[in-house]
Amino acid sequence: MPSAAAGPAAASPPPPKPSAPAALPFAGISADLYPTEDDLPYEEEILREPFKLKGWWRYLVARAAAPFPKRAVIYERALKALPGSYKLWHAYLRERLDHARPHPISHPAYSSLNNTFERALATMHKMPRVWALYLASLLDQRLLTRGRRAFDRALRALPVTQHDRIWPLYLRLASLHACPVETSFRVFRRYLQFDPSHAEDFIEFLVSSNRWQEAADRLASVLNDDGFRSVKGKTRHQLWLELCDILTKHADEVAGLKVDAILRGGIRKFTDEVGKLWTSLADYYVRRTLYEKARDVFEEGVASVMTVQEFSVVFEAYTQFEQSMLAAKLEAAEEDGDEGSDEEDRKSGMDKLSKKFLAGCWLTDEDDTDLRLARFERLLDRRPELLSSVLLRQNPHNVEEWHRRVKLFEKEPARQVATYVEAVKTVDPMKAVGKPHTLWVAFAKMYETHNRLDSAEDIFKKATQVNYKVADHLATVWCEWAEMELRNQNFDKAIELMRLATAEPSVEVKRRAAAEGDEPVQLRLHKSLKLWSFYVDLEESLGSLETTRAVYERILDLRIATPQIILNYAFLLEENKYFEDAFKVFERGVKIFKYPHVKDIWVTYLTKFVKRYQRSKLERARELFTEAVQKAPPDEKKALYLQYAKLEEDYGLAKRAMNVYDEAVRAVPNGQKMSMYEIYIARAAELFGVPRTRQIYEQAIESGLPDKDVMTMCMKFAELERNLGEIDRSRAIYIHASNYADPNSHPEFWKKWNDFEIQHGNEDTFREMLRIKRTVAASRSQTHFILPEYLMQRDQRLTMDEAVDTLTRAGVPQDEMAALERQLVSEPSSAPAAAPSTSTTPANRMMNFVSAGAEVRAESSTEQAAANNEDIELPDEESDEEADVQIEERSVPAAVFGELGKRAAENREESSSAQENEQQLGALERIKRRRQ
């Protein structure tokens, strides 16, 4: 080869000869394993530099696809030259592992593999990777003894800092089922000396090996170590539960541990799973056949748990325990019944004699089935009571729970009394949830139902000395005490109790309480409105007027009165004919309270005053109403103004009533102005006649009402003018109101105007109405439609149909008004063509319209102008002079003058009748009547 001949080696012998010395070590191997011609460059390189790793490694890489035996020869030659190369040993061992893995563990390849590992460890004993490969291979081959010794060698050879790579494999070896238990124990103990934090692995191994004693000892030591931290994330509570399971389920196999102390320590330390720990402790005693001790543990558990969930766990286990004890006894009794006859024959005479004398004694009764059954039933009956105890342990100041507990003993008065006593001693009024005074009241009522009034009074007396959180609770106790006396017909004593309760504490008592810094609720009792209200009811029912008034005055002096108390006091005085005193009470009430509380007082005061004095004290009533409306907020003024105006209408002047209404429409808020104006207009029309309302309508329209209300007011105003015959004024009002009425939003307004024009207008007014409607609609929609100018300047006038058709072509929509317009125009359009030229009726007059003014009948010219039909033909001046105008006279409606006009007419009739009667009477009789 050219590359081999180059360099100093060119004078070397032929190529086959260099390989002859290398073939000597491999004299017994196959010829396929010898180097070939392709291997000559690499062989020459390693011959030149046999102690360099690079040449050997290029040789192995180049022969990566060669069979493993040939590569093994190369590895062996390389390792013989470089026995300390970690890279070569690691690659060689990995290839040997891959080569042996497909074969069974009994194959010679594994023996060769192990020998290779041993040869490698002679120089690589400080390399943990080599040890790991070797130990893993031994584990796969299940060579326990050789593996254990290899692990020991590895731990001795490697430094301690690298032992963490060996111990996981060692623990795998110790966990194998084929490994002896003692060997595994020793391995785990050695591992815990290396890393004590993995004690849980040892415990799990002990549990899986059923070594309960050592597992319990290890768990106890772990729990006693405050510095222990679980590597598996278990809490100390979980470890406690595991220990409890071991101690309770394997009580006979565990000794040397104080199980009771351990479990009770867990109960005190871990409060979230107390129920399970109590059941575990009872289960421990059950497994040790200490049944009475187990029952005591269950009783202690249900009496000490703090939550309903834990109580349910313990109580359920307790009931199962009692049920299983009863079932076991019944089964034992059945078995004893079958064997009892045989035992009787075997008993001696002494046993028979002792049985004869002790017959009937409960100590000799071996059948306790009835006792166990009664105990089981009693446990079930006690469940509500035990559950109530749990809730009260959670919060002993829960008043409602105490009441429910009392109801559990409805048939046991003694236990009810004991429960009430315990409740009033336990509940702190400052911490109570609920009303603590109800416990005292219910306690006293229980004695009352059993006719023990003296005991009930003692309970109430003690209840009044308790320092409650609020004064209302103490006031309720006093009121309940007085009601009890009333129920038992002790009226004087009830009033005396109220006087005692409402008495103000002395200055010395107040000074002492202020010095102590803690003011008891008894010092605030004399200002309790509830107590005073009850007291005043008692005085009204049982006392005299003077004592009742004294109580009311005392309430007012203490400044604790309410509007209802003011009204009650005033009604009391009014019932007893003290009207001025009642009005003085009203005066005090309106000075004490503000709106909205004073509203009822003002309304009642004004109503009573007007009813009492009518017109006799009219000025004083006016002053009261003026003051009331000044102090009232805008929302409350309407009712007062209406009441004020009613006063003026009934007892004052109608003009002043109108002034009141006028002031009211300015003072009320905008939301009430419309209704106020309607009332104002109705009263003005009734008192002064319909014409008087014109000014009010104008004022309402200009007062700033909302557009909808202005439109409504304009429609009513226009209807009024129409009824009065003022057609032009009504039309002007409609024109003004059109600014507020959108044809799309308020079609009712335009329909009413349309009906008005049909009834009272003519063609021009109707056209003007349509023009205004289109203008308003265009302005509202901000769109304007203008006819072409040539249409307006044509010599020949457009008829109504042509104009409408033009608007339609221009894009203007035809609404109902346009359709009606076409209908109205189509009817008279045919009249001029059909009527003769000598007709007396004008050709341009529409038959559906009447004139807006007075109708004048005149002779018209026989000649008809054939020009524009829309021109209005005025009569000649000569015909006006010659025309005989006939004006119809109508009587003015009585509604125009209103109620005052009616009164004036009645006065005139009375005066005229009186004059007629005077004329019939004599002179002396007339003088007497005038003097009267």
Side-chain angles (χ1 to χ4, degrees):
M1 296 176 64
S3 60
S12 61
K17 292 182 180 180
S19 60
L24 294 176
F26 307 100
I29 61 176
S30 174
D32 298 335
L33 301 180
Y34 283 98
T36 61
E37 291 183 359
D38 296 336
D39 299 334
L40 290 179
Y42 304 103
E43 289 289 343
E44 290 177 356
E45 183 178 2
I46 62 178
L47 283 175
R48 288 192 301 269
E49 296 177 347
F51 301 108
K52 282 191 176 182
L53 178 63
K54 185 183 297 185
W56 291 105
W57 195 254
R58 279 203 295 264
Y59 194 3
L60 291 170
V61 171
R63 295 296 170 259
F68 174 73
K70 185 172 183 178
R71 289 178 57 83
V73 171
I74 299 174
Y75 271 118
E76 290 291 345
R77 292 172 59 196
L79 289 173
K80 187 175 181 180
L82 300 171
S85 174
Y86 171 78
K87 187 173 184 180
L88 288 174
W89 276 115
H90 188 265
Y92 186 26
L93 294 174
R94 292 300 298 260
E95 286 196 27
R96 274 210 169 273
L97 279 171
D98 295 338
H99 174 67
R101 188 169 289 117
H103 303 290
I105 60 177
S106 60
H107 195 273
Y110 278 99
S111 178
S112 177
L113 173 64
N114 295 337
N115 293 333
T116 306
F117 270 115
E118 291 292 343
R119 288 191 294 113
L121 289 174
T123 55
M124 298 287 109
H125 59 278
K126 294 297 183 182
M127 299 300 171
R129 285 181 178 269
V130 177
W131 280 109
L133 290 174
Y134 185 27
L135 297 174
S137 176
L138 293 177
L139 283 177
D140 293 339
Q141 299 175 48
R142 294 297 188 267
L143 300 176
L144 300 181
T145 302
R146 186 170 182 175
R148 178 176 57 81
R149 293 173 180 174
F151 277 111
D152 294 340
R153 288 166 53 201
L155 293 174
R156 287 194 299 267
L158 295 174
V160 179
T161 56
Q162 295 179 350
H163 284 192
D164 55 342
R165 299 188 178 187
I166 305 301
W167 275 113
L169 298 172
Y170 208 172
L171 294 180
R172 279 179 55 192
L173 174 67
S175 301
L176 293 176
H177 293 288
C179 184
V181 177
E182 291 298 331
T183 302
S184 301
F185 285 169
R186 294 177 184 276
V187 171
F188 272 106
R189 290 193 187 99
R190 289 173 59 190
Y191 177 59
L192 291 181
Q193 293 177 359
F194 169 73
D195 188 1
S197 62
H198 287 78
E200 295 172 88
D201 297 331
F202 188 26
I203 294 172
E204 290 180 359
F205 172 75
L206 293 173
V207 170
S208 62
S209 302
N210 297 330
R211 295 299 184 97
W212 309 111
Q213 179 66 49
E214 192 166 355
D217 293 338
R218 286 289 177 177
L219 269 175
S221 63
V222 165
L223 291 172
N224 291 330
D225 184 8
D226 295 333
F228 178 78
R229 295 292 181 270
S230 174
V231 295
K232 296 188 176 182
K234 292 184 180 180
T235 62
R236 297 183 67 85
H237 179 255
Q238 291 175 335
L239 297 176
W240 266 100
L241 293 181
E242 291 180 5
L243 177 59
C244 294
D245 289 339
I246 294 175
L247 294 176
T248 55
K249 295 181 180 179
H250 308 281
D252 298 335
E253 302 178 25
V254 178
L257 294 177
K258 297 179 180 180
V259 179
D260 189 279
I262 292 174
L263 293 180
R264 290 184 183 274
I267 290 170
R268 289 189 299 269
K269 196 170 185 179
F270 306 103
T271 58
D272 51 349
E273 288 286 348
V274 174
K276 188 173 182 180
L277 293 175
W278 278 114
T279 55
S280 298
L281 181 57
D283 190 21
Y284 169 74
Y285 286 113
V286 169
R287 292 179 184 274
R288 298 190 62 183
T289 66
L290 300 175
Y291 303 118
E292 295 300 328
K293 187 66 176 176
R295 185 176 289 108
D296 294 340
V297 171
F298 277 124
E299 287 290 341
E300 186 179 358
V302 295
S304 61
V305 292
M306 297 297 295
T307 63
V308 177
Q309 181 179 3
E310 295 167 358
F311 170 78
S312 301
V313 172
V314 178
F315 188 82
E316 184 68 24
Y318 193 6
T319 53
Q320 290 180 1
F321 166 72
E322 291 291 353
Q323 189 174 4
S324 61
M325 291 292 292
L326 180 60
K329 188 62 180 177
L330 293 176
E331 292 177 2
E334 292 178 359
E335 294 177 359
D336 292 343
D338 298 337
E339 300 176 359
S341 57
D342 299 335
E343 292 181 357
E344 288 293 335
D345 298 336
R346 294 193 297 266
K347 283 183 180 180
S348 61
M350 184 59 68
D351 294 337
K352 294 181 180 178
L353 183 62
S354 61
K355 184 177 180 181
K356 178 179 180 182
F357 284 107
L358 297 177
C361 181
W362 62 274
L363 290 173
T364 61
D365 189 9
E366 298 180 357
D367 187 9
D368 58 348
T369 305
D370 295 338
L371 175 62
R372 297 189 181 190
L373 182 60
R375 186 180 290 158
F376 180 64
E377 293 177 352
R378 172 64 178 162
L379 176 62
L380 296 179
D381 295 339
R382 287 171 54 208
R383 190 181 190 283
E385 179 184 352
L386 295 174
L387 183 59
S388 176
S389 301
V390 173
L391 297 176
L392 289 176
R393 280 195 295 273
Q394 290 180 357
N395 184 10
H397 307 289
N398 191 344
V399 177
E400 293 299 326
E401 187 58 37
W402 280 109
H403 283 297
R404 286 193 287 268
R405 185 176 180 83
V406 171
K407 291 181 181 179
L408 297 177
F409 312 123
E410 290 183 355
K411 298 180 181 180
E412 303 179 46
R415 297 198 65 180
Q416 283 187 329
V417 172
T419 304
Y420 274 124
V421 171
E422 184 182 0
V424 297
K425 287 182 179 180
T426 305
V427 176
D428 185 359
M430 298 302 173
K431 302 178 182 178
V433 178
K435 300 178 180 180
H437 68 280
T438 57
L439 290 172
W440 291 97
V441 174
F443 195 6
K445 286 184 176 180
M446 190 198 70
Y447 276 115
E448 183 187 1
T449 54
H450 291 83
N451 298 323
R452 296 282 300 278
L453 296 182
D454 52 346
S455 299
E457 291 177 358
D458 294 339
I459 297 299
F460 274 121
K461 188 175 182 180
K462 293 179 181 179
T464 56
Q465 298 173 2
V466 177
N467 187 18
Y468 297 99
K469 191 174 183 179
V470 293
D472 189 58
H473 294 171
L474 182 57
T476 304
V477 173
W478 281 102
C479 294
E480 292 289 345
W481 191 358
E483 287 182 359
M484 185 190 73
E485 298 296 345
L486 291 176
R487 287 193 294 269
N488 292 276
Q489 309 299 322
N490 298 328
F491 305 119
D492 296 337
K493 191 170 184 179
I495 295 178
E496 186 63 28
L497 285 174
M498 287 297 101
R499 290 174 184 170
L500 180 63
T502 55
E504 186 175 359
S506 62
V507 179
E508 182 181 356
V509 174
K510 292 182 179 179
R511 188 184 299 110
R512 190 183 305 115
E516 294 177 358
D518 186 14
E519 182 182 7
V521 73
Q522 282 77 8
L523 298 183
R524 304 193 302 268
L525 181 63
H526 67 284
K527 290 186 177 181
S528 174
L529 179 61
K530 182 176 183 178
L531 198 63
W532 281 104
S533 301
F534 188 80
Y535 187 16
V536 79
D537 290 342
L538 281 182
E539 289 292 351
E540 287 188 16
S541 303
L542 305 175
S544 60
L545 179 62
E546 289 74 14
T547 57
T548 307
R549 293 189 63 176
V551 175
Y552 274 118
E553 291 295 333
R554 181 62 179 160
I555 293 175
L556 294 175
D557 293 340
L558 291 174
R559 302 182 68 84
I560 59 174
T562 61
Q564 188 60 46
I565 288 180
I566 297 294
L567 296 176
N568 293 342
Y569 189 15
F571 290 157
L572 175 68
L573 295 175
E574 184 181 3
E575 289 177 359
N576 292 275
K577 310 301 182 184
Y578 291 92
F579 297 104
E580 282 299 327
D581 292 342
F583 295 146
K584 290 179 181 179
V585 172
F586 280 124
E587 288 288 346
R588 295 175 68 179
V590 297
K591 290 179 180 178
I592 293 174
F593 299 101
K594 304 297 181 182
Y595 268 93
H597 308 291
V598 77
K599 176 184 177 182
D600 295 335
I601 299 178
W602 269 119
V603 173
T604 308
Y605 182 20
L606 297 173
T607 303
K608 296 288 185 182
F609 190 88
V610 172
K611 182 180 180 181
R612 171 66 182 169
Y613 294 108
Q614 297 181 355
R615 61 170 51 89
S616 60
K617 293 186 178 182
L618 190 58
E619 288 301 325
R620 182 179 171 187
R622 287 170 177 168
E623 292 176 358
L624 290 177
F625 275 106
T626 303
E627 182 183 0
V629 296
Q630 287 177 354
K631 294 183 177 180
D635 295 339
E636 305 292 344
K637 288 185 177 182
K638 180 179 178 181
L640 296 174
Y641 273 116
L642 292 177
Q643 197 173 357
Y644 189 8
K646 187 70 167 54
L647 169 71
E648 294 293 348
E649 291 178 11
D650 294 342
Y651 308 110
L653 301 175
K655 184 177 180 180
R656 291 183 69 94
M658 293 297 103
N659 293 337
V660 171
Y661 283 120
D662 186 68
E663 183 181 352
V665 296
R666 291 182 173 87
V668 297
N670 294 332
Q672 299 177 358
K673 280 187 177 182
M674 184 63 182
S675 59
M676 197 68 216
Y677 268 115
E678 292 175 352
I679 298 174
Y680 186 12
I681 292 170
R683 300 308 300 161
E686 184 177 352
L687 295 176
F688 294 96
V690 176
R692 175 69 174 82
T693 61
R694 287 174 172 169
Q695 181 181 357
I696 304 173
Y697 274 116
E698 294 174 359
Q699 176 185 346
I701 294 171
E702 298 174 358
S703 64
L705 291 173
D707 292 350
K708 185 177 181 181
D709 294 340
V710 171
M711 183 184 65
T712 304
M713 193 62 70
C714 289
M715 293 172 66
K716 293 183 178 180
F717 192 12
E719 185 66 20
L720 171 68
E721 295 294 351
R722 187 187 68 80
N723 293 335
L724 294 178
E726 297 291 343
I727 304 302
D728 294 336
R729 288 176 61 89
S730 179
R731 183 177 291 106
I733 294 170
Y734 276 118
I735 294 173
H736 176 75
S738 64
N739 297 321
Y740 306 96
D742 186 0
N744 297 324
S745 303
H746 305 90
E748 66 280 357
F749 169 80
W750 297 97
K751 184 177 184 306
K752 193 165 186 178
W753 192 4
N754 179 74
D755 296 340
F756 170 81
E757 293 296 345
I758 291 176
Q759 186 176 1
H760 302 287
N762 53 30
E763 185 176 353
D764 295 335
T765 59
F766 192 84
R767 286 185 177 184
E768 181 66 15
M769 185 267 293
L770 294 178
R771 184 191 66 78
I772 293 173
K773 179 180 180 182
R774 287 192 293 270
T775 302
V776 171
S779 62
R780 292 284 179 175
S781 61
Q782 299 181 357
T783 305
H784 303 276
F785 298 94
I786 303 175
L787 291 175
E789 185 177 1
Y790 76 94
L791 293 178
M792 304 297 296
Q793 296 178 354
R794 286 174 58 181
D795 295 335
Q796 186 177 359
R797 298 289 185 182
L798 292 175
T799 62
M800 186 64 69
D801 286 331
E802 293 175 351
V804 172
D805 293 338
T806 304
L807 289 173
T808 303
R809 289 192 301 272
V812 179
Q814 294 187 9
D815 55 0
E816 296 180 1
M817 292 296 179
L820 179 61
E821 186 177 350
R822 182 184 295 106
Q823 179 182 356
L824 295 175
V825 173
S826 62
E827 293 178 2
S829 61
S830 59
S837 60
T838 59
S839 175
T840 59
T841 302
N844 61 341
R845 180 64 56 87
M846 298 181 66
M847 301 304 295
N848 286 348
F849 293 94
V850 296
S851 176
E855 185 177 348
V856 180
R857 298 178 182 178
E859 296 179 358
S860 60
S861 177
T862 58
E863 295 180 357
Q864 297 277 338
N868 190 3
N869 293 333
E870 295 182 357
D871 291 342
I872 301 176
E873 295 182 359
L874 298 177
D876 298 335
E877 295 181 358
E878 296 179 357
S879 62
D880 290 340
E881 295 178 357
E882 296 177 0
D884 186 9
V885 180
Q886 297 180 359
I887 300 175
E888 183 180 358
E889 294 183 358
R890 297 181 180 179
S891 59
V892 179
V896 174
F897 301 102
E899 186 177 352
L900 297 180
K902 296 179 182 178
R903 294 180 182 176
E906 292 176 358
N907 293 336
R908 286 196 299 270
E909 292 178 1
E910 291 178 358
S911 61
S912 61
S913 60
Q915 291 178 2
E916 293 177 358
N917 293 335
E918 288 180 358
Q919 292 177 1
Q920 296 177 1
L921 299 175
L924 182 60
E925 186 67 23
R926 289 198 300 272
I927 292 172
K928 288 181 180 181
R929 292 197 175 186
R930 288 176 183 176
R931 288 179 178 179
Q932 292 177 355

